[in-house]
Amino acid sequence: MTVYRATARHDGKWWSVSFDNLPKGYGGATQGRTWAEAERMAREAVAVLLDIDEDSFELAMRPADPTMASLIVEAERAREEAERAAARARKALVAAAVELTKTVTVRDAGAMLHVSYQQIAKLAPKAG
């Protein structure tokens, strides 16, 4: 999916948005009172300028202020790492629940893994 980049500058009560990588020959700008409004307006502007659906591309909008931009990038990076870690933890929990319930009760498996026995029963349902 194509990613269009935009830069937003805070000017008083407005966020002014310019586009960084539209196809050659295309240009434009938009604004919004809030970040969310500016982002929505930027997405609409790209769609109208290029005559494409709003859900057919990604919009990566960053503040022009380098400190703000780096904070956002770091927060996104940390969130992605946490999501990957959570997925690994869930996979490990399922594997442990399946193996443990082959020899111990769901209550014991839950106690061993520090989760409820109901969660173990969902993760490792018994056939039958």
Side-chain angles (χ1 to χ4, degrees):
M1 184 173 284
T2 303
V3 178
Y4 293 106
R5 293 185 309 276
T7 301
R9 287 174 177 67
H10 199 228
D11 300 321
K13 294 182 179 183
W14 295 90
W15 285 97
S16 300
V17 182
S18 59
F19 301 103
D20 304 328
N21 68 326
L22 291 176
K24 188 174 174 92
Y26 288 90
T30 190
Q31 64 184 9
R33 281 201 179 260
T34 65
W35 183 268
E37 181 181 50
E39 196 168 37
R40 188 177 64 250
M41 296 300 289
R43 178 169 287 284
E44 288 176 13
V46 169
V48 168
L49 284 167
L50 303 180
D51 193 27
I52 56 177
D53 290 332
E54 285 186 36
D55 59 354
S56 68
F57 61 92
E58 298 271 338
L59 178 69
M61 191 167 91
R62 295 284 186 258
D65 179 281
T67 302
M68 285 182 178
S70 67
L71 290 169
I72 291 169
V73 168
E74 181 56 32
E76 288 173 347
R77 186 175 298 126
R79 185 181 307 120
E80 290 168 1
E81 288 173 14
E83 289 170 359
R84 286 191 300 274
R88 287 191 310 273
R90 175 144 175 87
K91 186 177 178 179
L93 185 60
V94 169
V98 168
E99 285 303 311
L100 291 172
T101 56
K102 288 179 180 177
T103 40
V104 302
T105 67
V106 292
R107 286 185 188 276
D108 281 345
M112 294 165 85
L113 294 168
H114 304 284
V115 297
S116 71
Y117 74 90
Q118 295 96 334
Q119 187 173 0
I120 295 296
K122 287 180 184 176
L123 295 173
K126 293 291 182 187

